[in-house]
Amino acid sequence: MPSEETRTKSSPHIRTTESSASPGTAEPAPTATAGGPTGKSATRAWTARLLMVGIVLTALNLRPAITSLGALLEEVRDGLGMSGGVAGLLTSVPPVCFAVFGIMAPRLARRFGPATVVCAGMAAIATGLVIRPWVGGTAGFLAASALALMGIAVSNVLMPVIVKRWFPDRVGSMTGLYSMALALGTSAAAAVTVPLTDALGGNWRSGLGVWAALAAVAVLPWIPFVRDRRGDTRGQESHARVRTADGGPTTTPGPRNGDAPTTATSTTTPGPRTEGTRDTAPGAPAPAVPARADTAPPALRITRSPIAWALAVFFGLQATAAYITMGWMAQIFRDAGLSAGTAGLLLAVTMVMGVPLAFVIPRLATRLPHQGPIVIVLGLCGLAGYAGLYLAPAGGAWAWAVLLGIANCAFPLALTMVGMRARTGAGVAQLSAFAQSAGYLISVPGPLLVGVLYQSSGGWGLPLALMAGLMVPQMAVGVLAGRNRTVEDEAAR
């Protein structure tokens, strides 16, 4: 008798679903396995926990390379002899690297597996951060920064893919956990970099290099998955159910490491119905699926999807605001008369607002049919924060830091919408790569332009006006991106 164990389409490694036997039929006999059901369940649980640890540690490392530099930007400028324009170029390097290297992530994941690519990304971050302060000269500093940012770029793109593939029934909560850890790493780097630098003798090079240790630790949980390519981005349909033409039981292809295939009863994954499908009567066999298990789904023509473009522009504008904030906000407060330590703490407050909200917002977004209202609330907080920085940067500093921290939570919202605007793991991979790469390209001029305006005007009036002006189109495209549609439907038209 065939086993009743099924593997879900989206998570072949961890999650299993037991379907009950039909009334009046005998209970199926347990399927003999090498390790036994208990052993397999324990393995799946261990795998899930290790993946969670890897996701959290990875997220913790995706921003310290940037915010630690923002806290010490004045010291780095003096030490390397940078002008305001060159410093603006330095703050534009992250989105450039994210755009250039992020587009490579899906192809690398198809070849080596997403876990392997993330593991290599963490190693690149550790290497770049440890050599960046000591290479000497602006060119070497930029090159080492680019190495670290390359690792961040591929991990940025593949995190939503890993969440969707291994935790398909917990996209909102896992995205929230990942976003919360990202915000925690961002705020911790902003808050403790200056005190760490002081504790290490006041040398900014030591204060920047110490963050390589955290990246080195993040390599470890991914090592067991380095040789596992089963989560590649060729589409989870390669692990999907395939129904025989005579309506018999479905067969789920087993792992590619030689495990035996698992036979299963019909299971239907909830989701939007596509054209050409019809409902079946209760108890009737599911319609035949004319697909082969070894056939990868065709690549989507993602540029034909309006929702993909809306997400890309929304991602780009929120990234512009985020990198301007991370690169220049501490300097705004220092120019207003606050100390370097206080300015770093204010930047940390802005970043730490994402810790609770990055967990709440994705969960709320997945429960709403349209995410536009969340986009509007975040945008209004950003406009209020920029107005406050212009009118009373020192007097209301803590309030403005909180408001801008709320506005920066557009990032976890964008990640959540990437997972919601595609139905399959392959679709998420394409949409994530497109939205992040195009979005980061859009965000490149922002930090550079702020540096040029700051140097030419000698104040923060024009840069703040630019930042407030960009918030309006961000709200507009965010409302469009929040509509309840998927790229598979739009790209197939």
Side-chain angles (χ1 to χ4, degrees):
M1 179 177 290
S3 166
E4 295 293 322
E5 186 182 68
T6 65
R7 298 177 187 263
T8 62
K9 291 172 66 176
S10 299
S11 183
H13 308 296
I14 296 173
R15 181 170 168 251
T16 59
T17 305
E18 299 293 336
S19 59
S20 60
S22 302
T25 62
E27 187 72 13
T31 302
T33 59
T38 303
K40 284 198 170 185
S41 298
T43 300
R44 283 191 293 269
W46 176 85
T47 301
R49 294 189 187 100
L50 190 60
L51 279 168
M52 288 183 184
V53 172
I55 289 170
V56 169
L57 286 175
T58 297
L60 286 172
N61 280 280
L62 295 183
R63 294 298 180 268
I66 303 166
T67 51
S68 62
L69 177 60
L72 294 173
L73 184 58
E74 186 171 310
E75 288 76 9
V76 174
R77 287 176 58 189
D78 294 340
L80 298 178
M82 293 182 183
S83 65
V86 174
L89 175 63
L90 181 60
T91 57
S92 293
V93 169
V96 171
C97 291
F98 293 167
V100 172
F101 299 119
I103 199 69
M104 300 163 53
R107 179 171 295 183
L108 292 172
R110 283 194 297 270
R111 182 176 178 87
F112 302 106
T116 303
V117 178
V118 172
C119 184
M122 294 299 103
I125 295 171
T127 304
L129 292 185
V130 79
I131 67 174
R132 177 171 72 167
W134 309 101
V135 289
T138 301
F141 191 91
L142 289 171
S145 296
L147 175 61
L149 293 166
M150 177 179 66
I152 296 173
V154 295
S155 302
N156 268 338
V157 171
L158 293 180
M159 280 295 100
V161 177
I162 288 172
V163 168
K164 181 81 170 182
R165 197 166 294 277
W166 274 288
F167 302 95
D169 52 346
R170 288 183 283 170
V171 171
S173 59
M174 288 303 300
T175 302
L177 179 65
Y178 153 70
S179 302
M180 188 167 61
L182 188 149
L184 183 60
T186 306
S187 58
V192 307
T193 296
V194 172
L196 270 176
T197 302
D198 293 339
L200 295 171
N203 188 339
W204 62 266
R205 300 179 191 274
S206 301
L208 291 181
V210 72
W211 293 102
L214 182 62
V217 173
V219 173
L220 302 178
W222 296 106
I223 292 176
F225 303 100
V226 163
R227 298 181 62 84
D228 184 2
R229 302 185 187 181
R230 289 175 291 175
D232 63 20
T233 55
R234 281 174 287 188
Q236 73 261 30
E237 276 70 18
S238 61
H239 298 284
R241 299 170 292 108
V242 179
R243 177 164 291 280
T244 59
D246 62 356
T250 63
T251 301
T252 303
R256 297 180 219 174
N257 290 354
D259 292 353
T262 304
T263 308
T265 56
S266 173
T267 304
T268 302
T269 302
R273 285 187 297 163
T274 57
E275 293 182 9
T277 63
R278 57 184 178 84
D279 295 329
T280 56
V289 178
R292 292 176 54 193
D294 59 350
T295 302
L300 296 171
R301 287 179 286 185
I302 201 77
T303 56
R304 296 182 60 181
S305 169
I307 209 77
W309 281 106
L311 261 176
V313 177
F314 177 69
F315 203 100
L317 292 175
Q318 68 81 28
T320 300
Y323 289 111
I324 290 173
T325 298
M326 286 187 280
W328 290 105
M329 186 173 168
Q331 192 64 47
I332 294 174
F333 288 126
R334 292 178 74 168
D335 288 350
L338 301 176
S339 67
T342 302
L345 283 176
L346 286 164
L347 178 58
V349 167
T350 298
M351 300 297 112
V352 83
M353 290 302 299
V355 175
L357 292 179
F359 190 73
V360 172
I361 288 176
R363 292 172 66 88
L364 176 61
T366 56
R367 286 165 170 77
L368 294 177
H370 194 304
Q371 290 74 47
I374 305 177
V375 172
I376 296 297
V377 171
L378 298 180
L380 292 176
C381 288
L383 289 174
Y386 293 139
L389 283 178
Y390 177 75
L391 296 172
W398 297 99
W400 318 141
V402 169
L403 286 170
L404 291 174
I406 297 172
N408 275 351
C409 288
F411 175 71
L413 177 61
L415 289 181
T416 305
M417 289 197 289
V418 166
M420 296 176 69
R421 298 287 89 89
R423 288 196 301 268
T424 66
V428 172
Q430 282 189 260
L431 180 58
S432 179
F434 175 75
Q436 294 199 43
S437 295
Y440 284 126
L441 277 176
I442 292 170
S443 71
V444 168
L448 176 60
L449 187 55
V450 165
V452 172
L453 290 175
Y454 170 56
Q455 185 173 16
S456 61
S457 66
W460 288 104
L462 287 178
L464 288 171
L466 171 67
M467 294 153 71
L470 291 175
M471 190 60 68
V472 177
Q474 177 180 320
M475 290 189 285
V477 294
V479 170
L480 295 176
R483 294 174 296 172
N484 189 17
R485 300 182 181 180
T486 63
V487 291
E488 287 90 350
D489 294 334
E490 293 186 340
R493 292 176 183 172

